[in-house]
Amino acid sequence: MPFIESVDHLTEYRRRVRAARDPQQLQVLVCGGPGCLPLGSEELAAAFAAEMEARGIAGKVLLKTTGCHGLCSHGVRVLIRPQEISYQKVTVEDVPEIVETTLLSGGVVERLVYHHPESQAPCPHKMDIPFYQTQNPLVLRKLDVIDPESLDDYLALGGYRTLRKILFQMTPEQVIEAVEKSGLRGRGGGGFPTGRKWRLCREAQAQPKFVICNGDEGDPGAFMDRAVMEGDPHAVIEGMIVGGYAIGAMRGYIYVRHEYPLAVKRLQKAIDQAREFGLLGTNILRSNFSFDIQISQGAGAFVCGEETALIASIEGKIGEPNPRPPYPVQAGLFGLPTVINNVETWANVPEIINMGPEWFAAMGTDKSKGTKIFSLVGAVNNTGLVEVPMGTSLRQIIFGMGGGIAHNREFKAVQTGGPSGGCIPPQYLDLPVDYDSLQQVGSIMGSGGMIVMDNHDCMVDVARYFISFLMEESCGKCTPCREGLKQLITILNEITTGKGEAHHVDLMEDICQTMATASLCGLGQSAANPVRSTLKYFREEYERHIRDKKCPAKVCRQLLIYTIDPNECTSCLACVRECPVGAISGPKKEPQVIDQDICVKCGLCVDACQFDAVKVE
Amino acid sequence: MGEVSFYINDLYTSAPVGTTLLEAVRSMDIEIPTLCHHPDLKSEGQCRLCLVEIGDWPQTRLVNSCTYPVEKGLKVQTHSENVLQARRLVLELLLARAPKAEIIQKLAAEHGISQSRFTSEDPEELCILCGLCVRTCRDIVGVSAIGMINRTPAKMVSTPFKEPSEVCIGCGSCAFVCPTGVITYTEKNGIRSIWGRDFELVACETCGSYIAPRASLEYWAKQTGDPVERYYICRNCR
């Protein structure tokens, strides 16, 4: 790899990389994203390599393992270019057929393509699939085509063009102005205007200054930042260089959780490549600007995603938040002015500068511009990563891209923004999703988690699950969050086990109110959202648990009563054999009976009965 | 350093730049309860009792006054309904946590709370995790023999790995500063026992009464550069 000495050299190198590539060349792009990797992306890629070698086309077809293709529920995904044929649920056994039919004969293996859920029509091409049709990928657009470990791939698609533009055509002031004009807001949850944050930091007097990339994604079920760091690491790095130039920083940190080893590896490789190339380091491209980045690994504490806790963690202290002011832009890392932005925010920056702020601001809503990646998981048919313009409705995301609720069940709620988000009920399905609208209905954008729930989910149990997660992850520094979460989980445990009392609802409301207003950091302030929103929209369900000791969704086991319908019992004794506590008995060749005093409500009898004689109330 | 003017409970007042709201409020003889604040330590906002409401209605919010600096034109309410409601609930939570702590009982009673509505995990608990001991050991003594371990469910003050700390000098500052008296030590036969370690107490060469643990005297001598013998005479006999 050459050391790029000047702008012209970069242009010349890019031209050479591009000239060496044939856009019509056959490419097999195997998804190596967080969802597909554990399903066997590597084995699949190896099988393709072996089969292509055996069929004598190894030199003609380009094989790559890429970042996330998005539609994770249908992995491992394979994209064949230039035809853009998108295969799903591909296994090693399918490889010979794909090579024969598609690579050698130009046909389509129909059994491996997505079929439209309504018309059942095959959707062989990526853009035939409804999941992709309505998306507008900006940050994710390169993920399924580039090899994340290849700087050439990034350069060929115009990478580091923005670096060249800012260093030689723009002043730091102009860069900040452009980001301000674009309307970009922090994608990590808070939604603070990025340009304003940069300006405040630039105006701060102290030196040196720092930029930090927050890659401490810790929401259960969320993996958009992971996908970006693993799939397009250079975009994050380029964004950070732009930020460093704008605020006058010479050093950047990427804070990644230790549980993301592949992200760490890819980012480190990208940093090494950029350094070797001269895109990071002293006097980048012979300009006066010097900038370098290092990775700081966190131990995976959820609270370290909070910016002041993250700073403490990089400094080697306990990852606990600190009260603001001072804000990080005034006194952040090592007490010096610091800009912290989330992975997705940084990855948005190069294109904003490159295409211009007007282009970016044309997407989205009045106060939320651009696109947002959502990690769509839970009770939908299509789970995965979607990137849509701000203002897209929940209905479009869940029923359009998500393909509706799985198993033909009924939509009940969607929780946005990670564990400390609120549960949004069906009446808000047409809500245009942006920072402000989500807040109005008692939830948050967060970093973009979206967990869909159906009528088999108990909202009290859902609240209990998230509060228990948050209690484990709360740092425990301030009283309302620490003691409030402990009290909430005690009460929720009582309600879900039939010990709920009428005054519990008031108690929880009081705790939630104080946690929201009096906690030290944003995590504590939002931690009561799961309870608040479910109390607001699903109060009836709480009342059923407390008053009638019933769980309408039949989730809270302690509230269920298992009985055997004597009319349907065939006395086969399958349940008797399965029952671990010997609660089922009865005379031979007669219907069996469950002793409620002994029953531990494990549900094994239901599974054991082949005649649906065990009833659950 | 200039002065900043602002409003406290609708009274126009001023204070030097960098003053915290708590200092400003207390200088006006308005009482705000605190548990984790100490004038000699940097505040970190743990207990949330010193909350005040700032801003113009309805765009107000609660902040901890112990770290929030005075701002030009800022409107501060120290005893608004929102403040009192939050303060009462914080006290109620603390009372459930540490039912035996006298200072909590007293503050709760002052706020009209005789009994907490919440469940007490441990009726004997005294620690409220205010962190005064940890900060004193770190910032004033300078040895960091104790720290906070774990997160919310099992958070506690402890020596590293719950083993006797090698750097502890047995000075007892942690016990001195503790508002609830949860940190204690014993002294018997010239030995002070604290945090699982025994420290030999040095007796005054003149009057014979115990001064402090030898480890403490040696540490202070090292810190000040004085000969350690100087510390073998108690303050009264010097």
Side-chain angles (χ1 to χ4, degrees):
Chain A
M1 211 184 287
F3 186 83
I4 300 286
E5 287 172 353
S6 65
V7 186
D8 295 338
H9 192 176
L10 180 64
T11 313
E12 169 57 25
Y13 184 81
R14 192 197 310 279
R15 195 174 297 142
R16 257 189 288 145
V17 170
R18 280 182 176 163
R21 297 184 173 208
D22 172 10
Q24 289 311 309
Q25 187 186 14
L26 266 177
Q27 295 182 31
V28 175
L29 305 163
V30 179
C31 175
C36 290
L37 208 53
L39 292 173
S41 305
E42 282 169 339
E43 295 79 358
L44 190 62
F48 267 110
E51 182 69 16
M52 292 189 317
E53 182 70 46
R55 303 299 302 266
I57 51 167
K60 289 182 205 143
V61 182
L62 189 64
L63 174 68
K64 272 193 239 180
T65 305
T66 68
C68 182
H69 289 202
L71 188 46
C72 307
S73 51
H74 295 63
V76 178
R77 304 202 63 81
V78 175
L79 184 66
I80 312 282
R81 294 183 92 194
Q83 305 96 310
E84 297 270 328
I85 297 170
S86 183
Y87 287 131
Q88 64 185 25
K89 298 187 179 173
V90 182
T91 62
V92 170
E93 288 75 47
D94 302 321
V95 170
E97 193 179 349
I98 295 177
V99 170
E100 174 65 40
T101 311
T102 309
L103 300 184
L104 290 166
S105 318
V108 173
V109 184
E110 204 169 291
R111 66 180 179 88
L112 293 174
V113 303
Y114 185 88
H115 283 72
H116 198 281
E118 279 153 32
S119 64
Q120 293 305 317
C123 307
H125 301 101
K126 184 182 164 188
M127 279 307 148
D128 298 335
I129 304 174
F131 178 83
Y132 293 110
Q133 272 169 354
T134 38
Q135 290 195 47
N136 189 1
L138 234 80
V139 174
L140 296 180
R141 77 185 187 290
K142 302 193 289 292
L143 255 63
D144 61 1
V145 290
I146 64 170
D147 171 358
E149 298 195 12
S150 163
L151 176 56
D152 282 2
D153 269 20
Y154 186 69
L155 287 171
L157 288 175
Y160 290 107
R161 238 183 334 192
T162 305
L163 176 65
R164 166 203 163 128
K165 185 170 173 179
I166 57 154
L167 289 182
F168 300 99
Q169 290 164 30
M170 293 174 86
T171 62
E173 181 59 34
Q174 286 171 323
V175 174
I176 292 178
E177 253 169 50
V179 177
E180 277 175 338
K181 231 190 255 175
S182 75
L184 176 66
R185 293 170 66 176
R187 298 297 193 239
F192 192 82
T194 306
R196 198 192 308 163
K197 191 186 270 186
W198 291 15
R199 180 174 299 284
L200 288 168
C201 193
R202 179 161 184 84
E203 285 166 359
Q205 295 295 316
Q207 287 284 355
K209 296 174 183 179
F210 299 103
V211 294
I212 296 176
C213 170
N214 183 350
D216 191 60
E217 180 176 62
D219 304 358
F223 56 102
M224 44 262 150
D225 291 346
R226 175 178 173 184
V228 173
M229 290 187 286
E230 287 180 3
D232 196 5
H234 280 289
V236 179
I237 291 168
E238 191 175 4
M240 288 178 72
I241 305 175
V242 175
Y245 177 75
I247 68 158
M250 288 176 68
R251 181 156 281 278
Y253 288 83
I254 304 180
Y255 187 84
V256 201
R257 50 179 38 228
H258 174 77
E259 291 97 322
Y260 281 181
L262 187 61
V264 173
K265 182 184 151 215
R266 296 255 166 91
L267 284 165
Q268 190 57 56
K269 182 150 191 178
I271 291 170
D272 293 344
Q273 286 168 341
R275 262 188 214 142
E276 203 181 322
F277 233 72
L279 301 169
L280 276 177
T282 322
N283 300 108
I284 297 169
L285 300 179
R286 274 203 200 135
S287 69
N288 291 326
F289 179 62
S290 303
F291 187 76
D292 209 344
I293 295 176
Q294 76 182 68
I295 293 176
S296 181
Q297 284 192 56
F302 180 72
V303 67
C304 287
E306 200 280 342
E307 55 184 12
T308 57
L310 187 152
I311 287 172
S313 177
I314 295 183
E315 289 173 347
K317 299 175 185 157
I318 298 180
E320 286 181 354
N322 281 304
R324 290 168 291 186
Y327 291 91
V329 287
Q330 305 158 318
L333 187 62
F334 307 117
L336 294 159
T338 305
V339 158
I340 301 191
N341 281 128
N342 148 281
V343 171
E344 192 182 335
T345 316
W346 288 121
N348 262 302
V349 167
E351 276 310 275
I352 291 175
I353 303 294
N354 198 30
M355 304 289 286
E358 295 79 12
W359 164 83
F360 188 81
M363 287 174 283
T365 59
D366 191 26
K367 285 183 179 159
S368 305
K369 302 297 186 190
T371 62
K372 177 78 193 85
I373 308 175
F374 292 101
S375 174
L376 183 63
V377 297
V380 279
N381 282 310
N382 305 330
T383 60
L385 293 184
V386 296
E387 186 176 358
V388 290
M390 292 277 190
T392 304
S393 74
L394 285 169
R395 189 184 298 280
Q396 278 171 286
I397 298 173
I398 296 165
F399 289 90
M401 288 150 237
I405 308 301
H407 312 297
N408 289 318
R409 289 180 185 168
E410 214 177 291
F411 170 76
K412 187 166 184 179
V414 57
Q415 200 216 22
T416 66
S420 54
C423 297
I424 304 172
Q427 66 257 40
Y428 294 115
L429 266 175
D430 291 305
L431 187 82
V433 178
D434 66 21
Y435 294 99
D436 312 288
S437 65
L438 286 174
Q439 206 148 21
Q440 274 161 22
V441 297
S443 191
I444 50 171
M445 174 76 85
S447 56
M450 213 173 251
I451 302 176
V452 181
M453 288 166 268
D454 64 29
N455 52 352
H456 284 60
D457 289 305
C458 164
M459 299 315 286
V460 184
D461 186 64
V462 163
R464 190 197 56 78
Y465 167 76
F466 286 117
I467 294 299
S468 120
F469 174 86
L470 290 163
M471 186 198 60
E472 294 287 332
E473 294 295 334
S474 153
C475 77
K477 181 170 181 172
C478 76
T479 312
C481 177
R482 181 187 67 231
E483 303 302 328
L485 286 168
K486 283 204 273 189
Q487 295 296 343
L488 282 180
I489 199 68
T490 306
I491 297 172
L492 288 166
N493 278 335
E494 293 195 341
I495 297 176
T496 51
T497 53
K499 292 176 221 136
E501 291 172 32
H503 72 283
H504 277 160
V505 169
D506 290 342
L507 275 186
M508 288 199 292
E509 280 183 334
D510 281 3
I511 298 172
C512 292
Q513 168 70 17
T514 298
M515 282 175 66
T517 56
S519 293
L520 194 161
C521 79
L523 290 188
Q525 287 158 14
S526 59
N529 280 340
V531 176
R532 285 187 121 179
S533 61
T534 48
L535 271 176
K536 184 172 173 191
Y537 300 122
F538 301 94
R539 186 176 283 257
E540 169 66 20
E541 211 166 325
Y542 277 91
E543 282 166 2
R544 292 274 288 149
H545 281 74
I546 295 170
R547 194 183 53 218
D548 308 335
K549 314 289 178 212
K550 292 268 183 237
C551 175
K554 295 182 182 168
V555 172
C556 302
R557 282 191 180 274
Q558 294 302 313
L559 302 184
L560 304 181
I561 295 171
Y562 293 81
T563 51
I564 296 173
D565 185 340
N567 299 324
E568 287 175 46
C569 178
T570 62
S571 311
C572 71
L573 305 188
C575 58
V576 178
R577 282 189 293 273
E578 204 62 36
C579 180
V581 291
I584 311 175
S585 61
K588 264 186 190 170
K589 296 190 179 170
E590 276 184 45
Q592 301 294 300
V593 179
I594 301 176
D595 185 335
Q596 297 302 328
D597 292 337
I598 304 176
C599 175
V600 292
K601 307 170 196 288
C602 66
L604 283 174
C605 51
V606 180
D607 301 334
C609 184
Q610 294 174 17
F611 310 98
D612 287 335
V614 182
K615 305 294 176 196
V616 188
E617 274 299 317
Chain B
M1 275 266 209
E3 289 262 318
V4 192
S5 298
F6 51 95
Y7 301 86
I8 290 180
N9 299 342
D10 301 324
L11 289 171
Y12 195 58
T13 183
S14 68
V17 173
T19 309
T20 65
L21 292 181
L22 181 68
E23 289 163 340
V25 168
R26 285 193 168 165
S27 74
M28 294 171 73
D29 285 333
I30 299 170
E31 183 44 33
I32 294 183
T34 55
L35 284 167
C36 67
H37 170 78
H38 190 287
D40 293 336
L41 288 167
K42 190 172 163 274
S43 283
E44 291 185 2
Q46 285 99 330
C47 78
R48 317 308 287 170
L49 276 187
C50 71
L51 294 169
V52 293
E53 189 166 5
I54 59 165
D56 287 300
W57 197 86
Q59 301 277 310
T60 61
R61 63 191 173 106
L62 302 182
V63 297
N64 55 300
S65 61
C66 64
T67 62
Y68 204 97
V70 293
E71 275 172 17
K72 186 167 174 268
L74 189 71
K75 289 181 181 148
V76 183
Q77 290 291 336
T78 62
H79 287 75
S80 63
E81 193 39 53
N82 286 339
V83 169
L84 292 176
Q85 198 187 338
R87 214 175 269 162
R88 275 196 291 263
L89 204 110
V90 168
L91 278 168
E92 214 178 328
L93 288 169
L94 285 173
L95 191 59
R97 176 186 172 86
K100 285 277 172 68
E102 277 174 29
I103 189 168
I104 305 295
Q105 292 169 353
K106 183 173 160 282
L107 280 170
E110 282 170 19
H111 286 78
I113 303 156
S114 54
Q115 219 185 339
S116 178
R117 292 171 292 165
F118 304 119
T119 320
S120 257
E121 216 173 296
D122 177 2
E124 299 302 318
E125 180 65 83
L126 283 169
C127 180
I128 52 165
L129 295 171
C130 66
L132 278 175
C133 52
V134 173
R135 283 179 284 148
T136 301
C137 189
R138 183 189 68 200
D139 299 341
I140 292 184
V141 183
V143 297
S144 286
I146 50 172
M148 291 284 181
I149 60 165
N150 301 327
R151 291 192 293 256
T152 284
K155 196 177 181 87
M156 64 190 290
V157 176
S158 169
T159 52
F161 307 106
K162 296 187 182 172
E163 284 173 9
S165 161
E166 286 169 21
V167 297
C168 179
I169 56 168
C171 67
S173 303
C174 48
F176 174 77
V177 78
C178 176
T180 64
V182 63
I183 305 176
T184 55
Y185 56 83
T186 57
E187 286 182 358
K188 206 175 151 190
N189 302 331
I191 301 290
R192 175 184 288 182
S193 304
I194 187 168
W195 291 114
R197 256 186 81 185
D198 292 339
F199 294 90
E200 179 207 344
L201 289 165
V202 175
C204 172
E205 287 178 347
T206 311
C207 70
S209 57
Y210 290 122
I211 308 171
R214 185 174 299 280
S216 296
L217 299 182
E218 285 170 354
Y219 177 77
W220 291 326
K222 202 173 145 198
Q223 292 297 105
T224 54
D226 293 335
V228 72
E229 293 73 25
R230 255 194 81 180
Y231 291 86
Y232 291 164
I233 301 166
C234 79
R235 204 181 281 177
N236 295 339
C237 300
R238 257 179 230 168

